[in-house]
Amino acid sequence: MNGIEGRSALVTGGGSGLGAETSRVLAASGAHVLVADLDPQAAEKVAASLRDCPGEAAAIRLDVSDPESAREAVEAAEERFGSLDILVNNAGTDRTVAFDELTIEEWQRVIGVNLHGAYLMSHFAFPGMKRRGRGHIVNIASTAARRTWANAAAYHASKWGLLGLSHSLHVEGREVGVAVTALIAGGMRTPFIMERFPDTDPGLLQEPRNVAEAIRFVLQQPPGTVIPELMVLPMRETSWP
C-alpha cells in the first residue's frame, strides 16, 4: 500500500493544468478520482484518460463558488466511492489589472473561486472526514500568499486568505484525525500562466507534474504525521528569492 491506493479523491479545477496532472498522479497511484471542473467536457476528457488506471475515475461539473454545486460534488464523491478521503482545492482564477481598475464583480469572482470556493468544498467535505476520523484536505496556495506584486490585489488577498484558512483548519483537523496541507506552488507551465502571459519564459516555470508529485508526497505521509505547509518552486522562480 502506498498510502493512496484505494482512497477516494475529489480534485477541483481538474480539467486542466495542475488539477489534471494531480488527477493523473492520484489515479496512477490507485486512488478513485472524481475530476471536477467548471468545464464538464474538460473534466470528462481527463477522466476518460484515467480509465486504464488502477482506480475508478469519473467527472462532474463543479462551480466551487456556488454552495449547491459544491455540496453536490462532495455528495457525488461519497455516493460513488463510499467516502471522500482526499479533497484537493485546486480551482483558481485571477484578474490581472490595476487596483483602481478592478471592479467589484471581478473582486468577488476571484475571492469567490480561490477562497470562498475552498471554504465551501471544505465545509461540505470536513464533517464526513471528521466522522470517519480520517481524511486529507490539500489547499493549493501560491507564492502570491507570501509576496505581492502589482495588478493582482484580488489574487493576493484570496491566496493569503486561503493560507490562513488552511492553517486554521489544520489546527482543528488534527484533533479529529483530518490532515490539512497548504501547498504553496511557484509558477507552472500551465494555461493559467502561459495563455494569459504568452511571453513568459517557460524556463522560469516548473512542470505541473512536479507539483502533483509533491501533492502525492504529502498524501503518503505515515499515519500520525501531517505536513501543514509545503513550498514547491521552480529552480529559477522569479517571484520568490
Side-chain angles (χ1 to χ4, degrees):
M1 297 290 288
N2 59 24
I4 296 176
E5 184 177 358
R7 296 167 73 186
S8 58
L10 191 162
V11 181
T12 73
S16 65
L18 176 60
E21 287 301 320
T22 300
S23 297
R24 295 186 183 105
V25 165
L26 296 184
S29 299
H32 307 300
V33 180
L34 183 60
V35 183
D37 200 279
L38 188 61
D39 182 346
Q41 293 181 329
E44 181 55 47
K45 184 177 180 180
V46 172
S49 73
L50 308 179
R51 299 292 191 242
D52 294 332
C53 291
E56 184 181 352
I60 190 171
R61 183 189 181 277
L62 169 63
D63 178 355
V64 297
S65 67
D66 177 65
E68 188 65 16
S69 183
R71 180 186 62 80
E72 290 176 352
V74 170
E75 290 181 350
E78 292 178 335
E79 180 177 348
R80 188 177 187 101
F81 305 132
S83 66
L84 177 57
D85 304 312
I86 299 166
L87 170 63
V88 181
N89 284 316
N90 166 75
T93 189
D94 189 15
R95 178 68 173 107
T96 306
V97 64
F99 179 74
D100 56 353
E101 297 176 13
L102 181 69
T103 67
I104 294 174
E105 292 75 20
E106 290 168 339
W107 167 271
Q108 291 176 330
R109 178 176 62 84
V110 175
I111 298 295
V113 172
N114 298 359
L115 178 55
H116 189 57
Y119 157 74
L120 286 175
M121 296 303 299
S122 300
H123 172 78
F124 292 114
F126 188 83
M129 294 180 176
K130 177 180 179 180
R131 185 172 59 252
R132 291 184 294 273
R134 69 179 189 278
H136 203 137
I137 297 173
V138 180
N139 296 307
I140 306 303
S142 163
T143 51
R146 291 299 194 194
R147 295 186 69 190
T148 58
W149 45 86
N151 304 323
Y155 190 70
H156 284 298
S158 69
K159 291 300 184 179
W160 282 60
L162 179 59
L163 193 59
L165 171 65
S166 188
H167 279 287
S168 177
L169 191 54
H170 157 74
V171 172
E172 296 189 37
R174 292 176 67 187
E175 298 181 355
V176 294
V178 180
V180 182
T181 300
L183 195 142
I184 301 176
M188 292 172 282
R189 299 185 191 105
T190 64
F192 185 75
I193 291 181
M194 300 308 298
E195 289 184 357
R196 296 188 303 133
F197 308 107
D199 294 332
T200 301
D201 179 1
L204 299 178
L205 307 174
Q206 60 190 333
E207 290 295 336
R209 176 73 181 221
N210 298 356
V211 180
E213 293 289 353
I215 295 172
R216 171 159 55 185
F217 168 76
V218 163
L219 295 172
Q220 289 180 324
Q221 295 306 298
T225 295
V226 59
I227 298 176
E229 182 179 312
L230 180 66
M231 182 179 289
V232 185
L233 301 177
M235 287 295 287
R236 296 174 60 198
E237 173 69 81
T238 57
S239 65
W240 193 260

